[in-house]
Amino acid sequence: MVDWNLAVATATRLVRPGPDVSRDEARAVVAELRRHANASEEHVRGFTRMGTDEIHDTPVLVVDRPGWVRANVAGFRELLKPLLEKMQERRAGNPGSAVLGAVGGKVTGVELGMLLSFLSSRVLGQYETFAPDGRDLPAGRNGGGRLLLVAPNVVHVERELDVDPHDFRLWVCLHEETHRTQFSAVPWLRDHLEGEIQSFLAETDVDPMTFLERIRDAAQSLAGGRPEGEEEDGGRSLVELVQTPAQREVLARLTAVMSLLEGHADYVMDGVGPSVVPTVAEIREKFQQRRAKGASRLDQALRKLLGLDAKLRQYRDGERFVRAVVDEVGVDGFNRVWTSPNTLPTKAEIAKPGEWIARVHRRTES
């Protein structure tokens, strides 16, 4: 169904070159990002009061754009394995399926590679938790992940925003370190997320060609072949196009969790920032303007199709939820959110934090 090796090769070939830096500058950036990642651990744990007696065993990997692609292909390959096996079985009885499968896998690999090449220049950092442990992609013990920092993208954005590079690098590390703390201090979180994703995929009852056509639409938009493509489907994202009623329920829960995780990271990043990042106010203002501005019409169309606009809303809505809860019940009161899957906020509670406070705190205090 998907030629994963071809996806990596295509993305690596098409990925945009990073900013112009000398070899010595590149080494200095990598070293500084590693230092900031290590320093961020103490800052984040002190501010969040999460897992202060534990030691992270998840590695910090400073990568280039092709390195980010390889890590994410490994993660996608693991997560999508059950769905692709199901789709392969569905196609097995069709005449000529072997030939069509081989050709289709290569076509999809190329198109997926095009999408990953586009995304690889936009990600500053990521906590990747689903790819298997390997020599080139080491992970923490007990199913932990790894913290990825994409050095060329960090340099590109700090130059674009014209901000202090040392402050910006630490600011980025604070956000990504918060994700590492979330997963290391909440041992059930990774399995819960994977379970929800697999539930979503298990409910997928879409014709394989329809699913692959959605990837093709996104790739054609990226190539300029159909920049208005998202308008034909009412501006829906790839995820929204394959939803069943059961999937909508799972997606609502996933949206709430991702809003919590991203909003919490933004809240921590800004909460820690003033004490360790002197220019945090300038960085935040310029970065928010960059998020809101978007780019060309083609970029906006692709963001819509891939669901990236929804991710931006998650940052905003989640941060608002965290701030409201902390203001009302304090950091320790907020941290009850990590007790179990039952104490995670629902999508409705993300929008109305008072409902989460009433449900979780009244239940535990009665």
Side-chain angles (χ1 to χ4, degrees):
M1 297 296 295
V2 181
D3 188 329
W4 297 105
N5 293 331
L6 185 57
V8 172
T10 301
T12 301
R13 186 176 70 252
L14 296 178
V15 69
R16 299 176 184 178
D20 186 18
V21 296
S22 69
R23 187 179 298 272
D24 288 342
E25 288 174 317
R27 287 174 177 159
V29 170
V30 171
E32 184 171 20
L33 286 172
R34 290 188 184 280
R35 289 196 305 271
H36 284 330
N38 290 332
S40 296
E41 180 177 349
E42 181 179 353
H43 296 315
V44 169
R45 289 186 168 217
F47 185 81
T48 63
R49 304 178 195 171
M50 294 176 65
T52 53
D53 295 330
E54 301 174 7
I55 299 175
H56 279 324
D57 70 335
T58 51
V60 176
L61 306 179
V62 181
V63 298
D64 57 10
R65 290 167 179 173
W68 179 88
V69 168
R70 289 191 294 271
N72 277 269
V73 166
F76 291 156
R77 189 172 188 169
E78 191 71 14
L79 272 179
L80 293 177
K81 187 184 299 182
L83 172 63
L84 294 180
E85 288 176 351
K86 174 182 175 182
M87 294 170 71
Q88 188 67 37
E89 290 174 1
R90 184 168 176 175
R91 286 181 57 171
N94 296 332
S97 61
V99 174
L100 290 174
V103 174
K106 292 187 180 301
V107 171
T108 307
V110 169
E111 291 166 344
L112 180 59
M114 293 173 65
L115 295 180
L116 289 170
S117 71
F118 170 83
L119 294 172
S120 68
S121 63
R122 283 158 169 75
V123 178
L124 299 179
Q126 175 187 356
Y127 185 81
E128 204 296 314
T129 185
F130 297 117
D133 187 13
R135 185 182 65 180
D136 297 330
L137 197 61
R141 296 185 300 272
N142 302 319
R146 69 285 294 167
L147 181 61
L148 305 176
L149 297 169
V150 190
N153 295 349
V154 173
V155 173
H156 172 77
V157 174
E158 70 192 24
R159 291 179 177 179
E160 179 184 328
L161 298 181
D162 190 25
V163 294
D164 182 280
H166 308 294
D167 284 2
F168 183 75
R169 293 166 195 174
L170 176 55
W171 188 72
V172 170
C173 287
L174 289 171
H175 181 102
E176 302 307 332
E177 175 59 38
T178 302
H179 289 317
R180 186 164 70 146
T181 296
Q182 290 164 345
F183 281 90
S184 63
V186 186
W188 52 264
L189 183 57
R190 178 194 180 279
D191 289 343
H192 173 71
L193 268 181
E194 183 174 13
E196 291 282 50
I197 292 170
Q198 292 304 333
S199 294
F200 181 89
L201 296 177
E203 289 292 336
T204 297
D205 188 22
V206 63
D207 178 76
M209 293 312 298
T210 301
F211 183 80
L212 299 182
E213 282 169 6
R214 297 309 178 187
I215 298 179
R216 187 166 297 119
D217 287 345
Q220 289 174 346
S221 294
L222 178 60
R226 235 183 70 186
E228 301 86 18
E230 107 284 0
E231 294 175 358
E232 297 178 13
D233 291 307
R236 294 177 292 172
S237 72
L238 281 169
V239 170
E240 292 170 323
L241 287 168
V242 298
Q243 281 186 75
T244 65
Q247 283 178 308
R248 282 193 288 272
E249 295 181 8
V250 177
L251 188 61
R253 296 195 298 269
L254 278 171
T255 298
V257 175
M258 297 311 299
S259 295
L260 171 69
L261 298 180
E262 296 294 358
H264 184 232
D266 265 11
Y267 175 80
V268 172
M269 181 170 60
D270 288 343
V272 174
S275 63
V276 297
V277 183
T279 59
V280 64
E282 177 192 0
I283 291 173
R284 165 56 82 184
E285 181 180 0
K286 290 184 175 180
F287 195 76
Q288 289 287 60
Q289 290 173 355
R290 182 180 184 272
R291 272 183 180 172
K293 181 177 63 175
S296 65
R297 185 185 179 197
L298 173 59
D299 186 70
Q300 292 172 350
L302 193 58
R303 278 170 47 179
K304 171 73 75 173
L305 187 59
L306 294 174
L308 300 184
D309 284 349
K311 185 173 179 65
L312 296 181
R313 289 194 297 273
Q314 289 171 3
Y315 285 106
R316 183 190 64 234
D317 297 344
E319 195 273 342
R320 193 179 298 143
F321 169 85
V322 175
R323 186 172 301 279
V325 172
V326 172
D327 286 347
E328 182 70 23
V329 297
V331 172
D332 292 333
F334 165 79
N335 280 342
R336 293 190 185 182
V337 77
W338 312 116
T339 304
S340 74
N342 293 329
T343 56
L344 291 172
T346 64
K347 188 176 180 181
E349 289 170 342
I350 288 287
K352 297 181 179 180
E355 294 185 359
W356 179 87
I357 294 172
R359 175 172 68 87
V360 172
H361 283 261
R362 288 177 184 173
R363 177 184 298 171
T364 56
E365 293 171 357
S366 59

